[in-house]
Amino acid sequence: MDQNMDINAFEGRIVKMEVDYTATCDEKIPLCKEMAKTESKFNEALEMLLQLEKQTRIGADMVSSSRVLIAIVQICFEAGNWNYLNEYITILVKRRSQSKQAVAKMVQECCTYVDKTPDKETKLKLIDTLRTVTEGKIYVEVERARLTKMLADIKEADGDVTGAASIMEELQVETYGSMDKREKVELILEQMRLCLAKQDFVRTQIIAKKINIKFFNDAEQQDLKLKYYDLMIRLDKDSSFIKTSRHYLAVVDSDLIAQETERRQKMMIYAVLYCILSPYDNEQVDMMHNLSKNKLLEELPVYKELLRLFMCKELINFDALCTVYGTELNTLDIFDQESTHGKKCWAELKNRLIEHNVRIISNYYTRINLKRMAELLDLTEGECEDYLSRMVNAGTLTVKTDRPAGIIHFSTKKAASEILNDWAFGLNELMNLVNKTCHLINKEECINNVMPAPSVTSS
């Protein structure tokens, strides 16, 4: 680049350097740093640098201006004068026509001092000062994001999780063009973690959508993939079993745990169980078939057989299931009876089993006595009606109940296209009957016209 020209990268325009202060800076900056080591000449050294800063700023020498700003904050830091450091950061940023490049360099230098502060109070004050001067400035958005993460960590360590989450939520890191993609994802995952910690599930779902899962296809990002799916499992495990199953299956496919056989098998077990616990629909059926074809399931014969039971068209007895699989299932966290989630999952397992049995009965019967159905399901008649009502409301079954007679009528739920076809077929049959009737009437009229009129005999 020409010595008399400089480019302000943050504005995209060329600024002409009126005076080159490189030689002056080479002379005065080391001199001022040496003077500042003497306490009596500390202020004098800063005054000299402030005068030099003014000259470089007015002369549009951004490189020299950056060097002077960095020198000022370095002198304050080396002297251990944190109050002066905070004061001069604020003053220098507010100077008229201050170069953005110089401000960015100074802020970057000051960020390195945060971890070197002598106590927590000084650290918080420095972070607050830097966050204040960087607010609303795109060219230091990355530094502000990192400072905000530090402040959130401090608040979380103090037990203020809500405050930490509120601070992190201010960051819209997905819009930061100058930030590395991995760092963006790390900050978004931190936002998700803090929102989960304060049980703000709606905001967590919104934040999670900012991450494109294709990012995790990169082999170098597998650690972030595991962290992401761990957060998603915590988010969805109480609200959507099918999504939780998909998250566990994604973890199984991760290259990072490919060599950890025990951990991989455990993730596969959870994927199978959460799929079984999911309400019946096309997505759940598709997921079951995909899991049954997974080669890893060959290493888990118990869970392969359990999955087969829920896929085959046979009734399952809950007591027999508990006898065969109960001991194995109770060793898992998912069915831990000491936790609310464990109790919920165990209740859902029984519900899915009964719903499976009802669907099997509907496949073999067009109508059945309610008392007989209750015997098959090992339920009371009232419980049987509750499950039928629930499945009808969910659209799984089409049922009509004759309560006085105690008869349940099953009918196949027809798709809209089938209903339209039946209507068209019925209409065609009706028109055929009308045409045939008209033809017979015309035939009778023709015969009647051809035949001679009967003669009238006189008495």
Side-chain angles (χ1 to χ4, degrees):
M1 185 181 292
D2 183 30
Q3 290 292 322
N4 295 325
M5 304 290 284
D6 201 352
I7 295 179
N8 189 332
F10 305 105
E11 289 184 343
R13 61 186 176 84
I14 296 177
V15 179
K16 185 175 181 180
M17 184 191 300
E18 297 180 1
V19 184
D20 185 359
Y21 288 96
T22 304
T24 308
C25 289
D26 290 341
E27 179 186 347
K28 288 191 176 183
I29 290 176
L31 177 63
C32 291
K33 285 185 176 181
E34 194 64 32
M35 289 173 61
K37 292 179 181 179
T38 306
E39 188 175 351
S40 58
K41 295 183 178 180
F42 178 76
N43 290 327
E44 184 182 346
L46 288 177
E47 286 298 327
M48 287 178 64
L49 287 175
L50 287 174
Q51 290 175 9
L52 182 58
E53 182 274 331
K54 183 177 180 181
Q55 292 173 352
T56 56
R57 175 163 45 85
I58 294 173
D61 185 355
M62 284 178 285
V63 175
S64 298
S65 184
S66 302
R67 290 178 62 192
V68 175
L69 263 60
I70 292 172
I72 292 172
V73 295
Q74 282 178 343
I75 287 172
C76 293
F77 168 71
E78 289 168 4
N81 197 328
W82 299 98
N83 290 330
Y84 267 43
L85 178 62
N86 291 322
E87 183 181 341
Y88 277 107
I89 289 171
T90 306
I91 291 172
L92 293 170
V93 169
K94 292 182 178 179
R95 288 286 174 90
R96 183 174 176 272
S97 301
Q98 187 64 272
S99 164
K100 293 179 181 179
Q101 180 182 346
V103 171
K105 295 285 186 183
M106 181 188 71
V107 170
Q108 290 168 5
E109 179 68 21
C110 291
C111 287
T112 63
Y113 302 155
V114 174
D115 292 327
K116 300 175 183 178
T117 48
D119 53 57
K120 181 181 174 182
E121 184 180 353
T122 305
K123 186 174 186 177
L124 287 172
K125 192 172 181 181
L126 179 58
I127 291 175
D128 184 60
T129 301
L130 291 170
R131 290 184 76 245
T132 301
V133 299
T134 55
E135 186 175 4
K137 295 180 174 62
I138 296 176
Y139 52 91
V140 284
E141 60 188 4
V142 175
E143 287 74 21
R144 178 176 171 79
R146 291 168 182 165
L147 290 166
T148 302
K149 170 68 167 58
M150 291 178 189
L151 184 59
D153 289 342
I154 293 171
K155 285 188 172 291
E156 186 181 11
D158 291 341
D160 186 8
V161 177
T162 303
S166 300
I167 290 170
M168 286 297 293
E169 286 167 15
E170 297 174 3
L171 298 177
Q172 303 297 326
V173 292
E174 67 277 7
T175 64
Y176 293 179
S178 55
M179 182 178 283
D180 179 66
K181 199 167 186 179
R182 179 182 173 85
E183 190 174 1
K184 282 185 187 179
V185 173
E186 287 175 344
L187 287 172
I188 292 173
L189 291 176
E190 186 66 14
Q191 289 176 332
M192 289 175 61
R193 186 185 66 80
L194 290 172
C195 286
L196 276 177
K198 71 170 188 175
Q199 298 186 336
D200 188 350
F201 302 116
V202 175
R203 188 174 291 276
T204 307
Q205 287 178 336
I206 294 170
I207 295 172
K209 292 177 181 178
K210 296 177 181 180
I211 299 177
N212 187 342
I213 58 173
K214 290 181 180 178
F215 170 77
F216 300 121
N217 293 339
D218 187 351
E220 296 179 358
Q221 315 300 341
Q222 293 303 298
D223 57 327
L224 294 183
K225 179 179 181 178
L226 293 182
K227 187 175 181 181
Y228 169 77
Y229 281 111
D230 178 59
L231 293 171
M232 292 304 296
I233 288 167
R234 288 168 55 191
L235 173 64
D236 290 327
K237 70 177 183 179
D238 285 318
S239 58
S240 176
F241 290 136
I242 192 68
K243 287 183 180 179
T244 306
S245 177
R246 291 192 182 281
H247 299 329
Y248 274 115
L249 192 58
V251 174
V252 170
D253 295 334
S254 174
D255 297 335
L256 203 61
I257 67 167
Q259 306 302 323
E260 300 179 36
T261 306
E262 186 176 345
R263 184 181 178 188
R264 198 178 182 201
Q265 288 179 349
K266 188 175 182 180
M267 297 297 105
M268 189 65 187
I269 289 170
Y270 285 157
V272 170
L273 292 177
Y274 276 109
C275 183
I276 290 172
L277 294 176
S278 304
Y280 177 83
D281 57 16
N282 292 335
E283 188 178 5
Q284 191 238 16
V285 172
D286 182 60
M287 185 72 174
M288 277 189 168
H289 281 89
N290 289 339
L291 286 170
S292 66
K293 296 174 184 177
N294 196 305
K295 293 181 180 179
L296 187 60
L297 208 59
E298 299 293 335
E299 303 172 16
L300 305 164
V302 173
Y303 297 95
K304 183 180 180 180
E305 178 62 20
L306 182 62
L307 185 63
R308 188 197 66 79
L309 284 176
F310 280 88
M311 291 176 64
C312 69
K313 295 183 178 181
E314 298 176 4
L315 295 178
I316 307 172
N317 184 275
F318 185 70
D319 292 333
L321 182 81
C322 292
T323 303
V324 178
Y325 300 102
T327 305
E328 177 76 20
L329 295 177
N330 285 326
T331 59
L332 302 171
D333 296 338
I334 184 176
F335 293 119
D336 181 12
Q337 296 302 303
E338 299 296 323
S339 66
T340 305
H341 180 69
K343 292 177 181 177
K344 177 184 177 181
C345 288
W346 190 258
E348 287 297 321
L349 178 63
K350 185 175 182 180
N351 290 338
R352 295 294 92 81
L353 184 144
I354 292 171
E355 290 170 3
H356 166 83
N357 289 343
V358 172
R359 289 196 305 274
I360 299 306
I361 291 172
S362 70
N363 288 336
Y364 290 102
Y365 289 86
T366 54
R367 64 178 186 170
I368 186 172
N369 189 285
L370 181 61
K371 184 177 180 181
R372 172 59 178 159
M373 187 175 182
E375 289 176 2
L376 290 172
L377 296 176
D378 196 19
L379 298 171
T380 64
E381 293 184 15
E383 290 173 334
C384 188
E385 285 188 335
D386 287 342
Y387 277 100
L388 284 171
S389 300
R390 197 181 307 166
M391 294 178 74
V392 169
N393 288 335
T396 307
L397 292 178
T398 303
V399 175
K400 292 182 180 179
T401 306
D402 183 352
R403 293 184 67 87
I407 303 295
I408 306 297
H409 296 267
F410 293 104
S411 58
T412 307
K413 185 180 179 181
K414 294 183 178 180
S417 59
E418 292 178 347
I419 295 172
L420 186 61
N421 289 338
D422 289 345
W423 176 81
F425 180 77
L427 187 63
N428 188 48
E429 288 290 312
L430 175 63
M431 295 307 298
N432 287 336
L433 287 172
V434 171
N435 288 333
K436 186 175 181 180
T437 304
C438 291
H439 175 72
L440 291 173
I441 292 171
N442 288 333
K443 180 181 177 182
E444 290 296 324
E445 287 180 346
C446 290
I447 293 173
N448 188 60
N449 290 334
V450 170
M451 290 180 65
S455 60
V456 180
T457 57
S458 59
S459 57

